Amino acid sequence: MENNKPFSQKVTIFHDRRLPEPGLLVGYAALIHANDLIVPLPDVLSFISEKHKRSSENEWKIFGPRYLPEDTLLGNITFAFKYEGIELLVLNRLFKKLEQSTVLRTIESEPNGQYSRRLWFLYEWLTGRKLEIPDLQFGNYVNLVDDELQYSSNNAVENSTRHRVRNNLPGVRDFCPMIRKTKLLADYESKHLSKDIEGIIEKIHPDVVARAAAFLLLKDSKASYAIEGEQAPSTRLARWGRAVQRAGKFPITKEELAGLQSIVLDNSKFTKMGYRQQEGFIGEHDRRIGTPIPEHISARWKDVGSLMSGLLETSEKLENDEQFDAVIATAIIAFGFVFIHPFVDGNGRVHRYLFHHVLARKKYVPTGVIFPISAIILERLDEYRIVLEAYSQSRLEFIEWSPAADHNIQIENETADLYRYFDATKQAEFLYSCIKQALEVTIPEEVNYLQKYDQFKKFIDDFIPMPDSTVSLLVRFLVQGNGILSARALKKEFAPLTNEETARIQNKFSEVFHDKS
C-alpha cells in the first residue's frame, strides 16, 4: 500500500498520549501515523520541538529542529534506528502494510547506507521474503542493534554477508523481546550486585550459609504459591523446593517445563498438562451471564508451539553469551514465558522458577544460594501487578476476541507478534530492583539473624541447657514479645524459669538481637 500521508504531523496528542508541548512526530510515531498502523505504542516515542533543545519527559524524547529527518519512509526509519533503537513489533506491522515495491525502492535509493542495510535485513528477517536485490560484495559490516540504545547479543553475532550486517539481536525470529538501556538499568549494572553476595558469603561460616539458604528457599517457595493465593501443603512445597535447588543444572526444555508444571499442580486430574490446546485468559467472568472479562489474554494456543520454541532457542543463545547481562537475560525469558502463558495452569510459578534457572545458568548466583525473588515480589505485589499489566493492558485492544460457549474466549485475529516482539525494559528494571533488595536487605538480614541466634543459643547452652527445639520456641516467643516473655509462656512452656533467670534471658536477648552496633 502506497503512503500518501505526511510523516511529520504536528500534534499535541498522539493516540491518547499527550505531548509535553506541541511538536512534529518523527521516527516510529511518524511511521505509525503515516501508515495507519494498528499496533501498541512503543513505551517511548519522539517528536521535534520548536525549541532548540534535546531532552526526555515521561514517554517522549524531545529533539530540536536540527534533528528533523526527511519526510520520507527512509528518513523516519533512519531517525528511529539512530535515536530510538529497533522496535520489531512496529516494523513487523509496517512491513505487512507496505507494498514490497515501496520497500525495494526505499532500499535502492541508498543501497550501501548503514540504515537502509538494516532496513533491508530486518525486512527479509521478519517477513521471510527475499527482495530482488543482489548481495552486497563489499563494505564494512554494521551492527544491527545499537548497543548504546538497547541490549544486544554481541557475543553471539551472526554475520549476514548478503546485507553486510551483524545480527546482534538478543533473540531469534520466533521470539525476540528488546530492552532499552535506561539510566536506572545502567546504575544497577554498575553496582555489580552479584559480587556483593560473594563478599558476604566469604565472611560467614559455611553452616550459617547453608541454613540461610535453606530458609530462603522455603520462604521463596511459600511466597510463589502465596502470590497465586494458594497455601501449598508441605509435601508439595518440599518437592518444589527441590526443583528450585536444581534450577540451572540443565538447559530448559519443553519436557522440563512440563515436569515443573506437574510439580506445581501435583498432577491435577482436572487440568490438561503440557502446552495448551485451548485459548486462555486471566480475569473474571460476568456474574450474571458468565461473559469473560479479560485482564490478560494468553497467546493463541496454535501459536504456543512456535513461540515457546523461539523462547527456548533465545534462552540457550543468551545463556551461552557470557557478555550478556544475567538479569536482563532473566527478564527476557521469565517474563516472556508468563506473557505467552503456555499452560492452562501453573504459569506463574514456573515463570518465577525461571528467575532462578536463568540466573543460575548465567552463573550470577553462587552455588547453593537462592535469591528469594518471589518473597520480595510478595512484599511488593502491587508493583509486580503494575509491571505485568504494563504489557497486558497495552495489548488488549489489539486482540479481537469473542466469548466461547464454554465461557472461555475465541481469538479471531493474528496475534503471535504481540508475544514475539515487545519491550521488556519495565520488567527488567523491576527484576533488578528485586535482586538489589535481596542482596542488600533480605539475605544480609537472614544471615545476621542466624548469627545472632547462634550467639544467643550459646548463652542459653551455658546458662540453662535445654533442647534445641525449646531454644527455638523461646526465641520465637521473645521475638513475638519484642524481647519479653508473655505471661502465658511463663505459666506454660517456661514455667520452670525463676524470675531472675527470666530477667537474665530477656536482657541477653535484647543485648544480642537489639544491639545497634
Side-chain angles (χ1 to χ4, degrees), residues 130-327:
K130 189 173 181 179
L131 294 169
E132 292 184 6
I133 302 175
D135 295 1
L136 290 179
Q137 301 300 315
F138 60 87
N140 295 329
Y141 280 83
V142 295
N143 287 331
L144 185 61
V145 180
D146 183 343
D147 56 16
E148 291 188 3
L149 295 175
Q150 294 168 300
Y151 287 86
S152 62
S153 183
N154 287 315
N155 203 36
V157 172
E158 300 168 1
N159 286 331
S160 171
T161 56
R162 171 169 167 77
H163 313 89
R164 314 295 285 185
V165 164
R166 294 189 192 90
N167 176 9
N168 59 344
L169 286 165
V172 298
R173 182 180 167 191
D174 279 339
F175 181 79
C176 189
M178 304 293 290
I179 296 180
R180 291 172 284 112
K181 287 198 168 178
T182 64
K183 183 180 183 304
L184 182 57
L185 287 175
D187 288 345
Y188 285 136
E189 276 193 283
S190 68
K191 293 181 186 298
H192 302 290
L193 294 171
S194 66
K195 300 294 183 186
D196 292 351
I197 190 64
E198 293 176 8
I200 292 170
I201 288 172
E202 287 173 0
K203 301 172 185 176
I204 302 168
H205 192 280
D207 174 64
V208 174
V209 173
R211 286 158 57 207
F215 175 81
L216 292 169
L217 174 62
L218 179 60
K219 183 176 183 178
D220 195 76
S221 299
K222 286 181 177 178
S224 195
Y225 279 87
I227 290 167
E228 305 297 328
E230 294 183 24
Q231 185 173 351
S234 57
T235 52
R236 195 187 304 176
L237 278 177
R239 289 181 65 205
W240 184 245
R242 289 194 294 272
V244 172
Q245 280 184 309
R246 295 194 302 270
K249 291 190 182 299
F250 306 101
I252 202 74
T253 63
K254 177 180 178 180
E255 292 72 26
E256 177 78 7
L257 291 171
L260 290 167
Q261 185 198 25
S262 70
I263 294 173
V264 167
L265 301 179
D266 206 14
N267 293 308
S268 171
K269 296 179 180 179
F270 299 99
T271 301
K272 186 172 178 58
M273 308 299 281
Y275 289 170
R276 284 184 288 111
Q277 294 185 12
Q278 63 189 66
E279 307 301 4
F281 75 97
I282 299 172
E284 304 292 338
H285 289 88
D286 181 276
R287 292 181 180 179
R288 292 183 302 107
I289 56 176
T291 303
I293 308 173
E295 295 176 2
H296 171 85
I297 294 179
S298 310
R300 284 196 320 171
W301 75 265
K302 291 182 179 179
D303 296 327
V304 166
S306 65
L307 287 168
M308 287 303 300
S309 293
L311 183 145
L312 295 175
E313 190 177 346
T314 295
S315 180
E316 183 179 8
K317 178 178 182 177
L318 296 181
E319 287 170 13
N320 293 330
D321 186 346
E322 295 179 0
Q323 297 179 17
F324 199 89
D325 183 89
V327 181

Side-chain angles (χ1 to χ4, degrees), residues 55 117 212 215 218 271 290 297 332 342 380 399 426 456 486 491 505:
S55 62
R117 279 189 280 157
F215 175 81
L218 179 60
T271 301
I297 294 179
I332 287 173
R380 301 165 56 179
I399 302 173
K426 291 176 181 176
F456 181 72
S486 67
K491 285 181 180 179
I505 288 172

Side-chain angles (χ1 to χ4, degrees), residues 409-422:
I409 62 170
Q410 181 65 43
I411 298 175
E412 298 170 347
N413 64 326
E414 295 289 333
T415 63
D417 61 352
L418 295 175
Y419 305 87
R420 284 198 174 101
Y421 313 127
F422 60 90

Side-chain angles (χ1 to χ4, degrees), residues 369-380:
V369 175
I370 296 295
F371 284 178
I373 298 172
S374 293
I376 291 168
I377 287 174
L378 187 60
E379 295 175 11
R380 301 165 56 179

